[in-house]
Amino acid sequence: GKGSVFTVFLPGPNVRKAVLETVASEPAPADNHNCILVIDDDATARELIAHHLQHAGYQVVTAAGGLEGIKKAKEVRPIAITLDVMMPDLDGWAVLTALRRDPELTDIPVIMATIVDEQYRAATLGAAGYITKPIDRDRLTTLVKRFMVQARPTRVLVVEDDAAQRERVRLWLESQHWTIAEAENGSVALERLRGERPDVILLDLMMPDMDGFQLVAAL
């Protein structure tokens, strides 16, 4: 007559297998630069949230349940996840706990979608935010906007002593809207690197003053 009683529902192997086999075939986006994963067992809610996010300029991947959602989070690595609470296979709180315990997924912000205001519970379990149903588009986009990655051109440092070759590479890469910096040898490249770190370095090996091997060793 004292204490708490907890009821726990554990899906058996056959149930889990059935859930995984019903995962819809949805190709991952070619670029998940601003991809959001929507996890909700209600198809109408799923489509509504996806529509709101796509209208705001995000790529969207959806999952119809908790197990599928965890699987897709590993595949896609979204910038954020919207997560329904009431789901049949794994509820949202269990999914949130699983995400927070996974070293590969723990840093992904999760926004809980709840019928009632459960802000305290969401914060306690590590959610980045919460939103109540029915979903308000403005609140949804405000919540996810802070996680949006600002696109910028890829920065490339071309280290090459041959001026004609540098110019050729510059023309090739600038046509891809990449930002190009140049250095005629390793010493100049080191000076450039002290000012701004590129995303990638294209490095000639045979150069005067400091060759490519010496630059790599210095880096």
Side-chain angles (χ1 to χ4, degrees), residues 85 93 112-123 129-134 139 143:
V85 170
W93 305 120
M112 305 301 296
T114 68
I115 297 174
V116 295
D117 189 339
E118 297 184 89
Q119 180 180 9
Y120 178 77
R121 185 175 185 183
Y130 77 97
I131 188 168
T132 55
K133 293 183 175 182
R139 173 154 175 76
L143 279 172

Side-chain angles (χ1 to χ4, degrees), residues 181-199:
E182 299 179 23
E184 59 269 26
N185 58 49
S187 299
V188 175
L190 283 177
E191 288 298 319
R192 297 271 193 277
L193 289 166
R194 291 189 182 98
E196 183 176 19
R197 179 176 297 182
D199 299 300

Side-chain angles (χ1 to χ4, degrees), residues 69-118:
I70 294 172
K71 179 174 179 287
K72 287 199 172 180
K74 286 180 176 290
E75 294 173 353
V76 178
R77 302 298 176 86
I79 63 165
I81 296 172
T82 69
L83 177 58
D84 183 28
V85 170
M86 303 300 294
M87 295 184 293
D89 60 339
L90 285 179
D91 70 18
W93 305 120
V95 174
L96 178 60
T97 301
L99 293 171
R100 288 294 162 262
R101 289 179 177 175
D102 190 322
E104 297 179 0
L105 307 176
T106 187
D107 292 331
I108 300 176
V110 178
I111 298 169
M112 305 301 296
T114 68
I115 297 174
V116 295
D117 189 339
E118 297 184 89

Side-chain angles (χ1 to χ4, degrees), residues 9-167:
F9 297 93
L10 300 176
N14 292 334
V15 176
R16 182 182 178 87
K17 183 172 182 290
V19 170
L20 292 176
E21 286 178 349
T22 57
V23 172
S25 176
E26 182 181 46
D31 176 15
N32 62 351
H33 184 69
N34 272 314
C35 177
I36 295 178
L37 173 61
V38 177
I39 306 175
D40 199 311
D41 67 308
D42 184 329
T44 302
R46 214 166 48 238
E47 292 171 6
L48 180 64
I49 295 173
H51 175 75
H52 289 337
L53 293 173
Q54 288 167 343
H55 186 267
Y58 298 92
Q59 296 183 74
V60 178
V61 172
T62 62
L67 294 175
E68 181 188 353
I70 294 172
K71 179 174 179 287
K72 287 199 172 180
K74 286 180 176 290
E75 294 173 353
V76 178
R77 302 298 176 86
I79 63 165
I81 296 172
T82 69
L83 177 58
D84 183 28
V85 170
M86 303 300 294
M87 295 184 293
D89 60 339
L90 285 179
D91 70 18
W93 305 120
V95 174
L96 178 60
T97 301
L99 293 171
R100 288 294 162 262
R101 289 179 177 175
D102 190 322
E104 297 179 0
L105 307 176
T106 187
D107 292 331
I108 300 176
V110 178
I111 298 169
M112 305 301 296
T114 68
I115 297 174
V116 295
D117 189 339
E118 297 184 89
Q119 180 180 9
Y120 178 77
R121 185 175 185 183
T124 300
L125 291 176
Y130 77 97
I131 188 168
T132 55
K133 293 183 175 182
I135 301 296
D136 178 80
R137 183 174 70 178
D138 292 337
R139 173 154 175 76
L140 175 65
T141 53
T142 298
L143 279 172
V144 300
K145 187 176 182 180
R146 53 193 166 134
F147 307 123
M148 190 170 189
V149 179
Q150 297 301 317
R152 62 166 177 78
T154 299
R155 294 189 296 253
V156 181
L157 174 61
V158 179
V159 187
E160 166 67 66
D161 63 312
D162 185 329
Q165 183 66 21
R166 285 202 312 274
E167 180 64 20

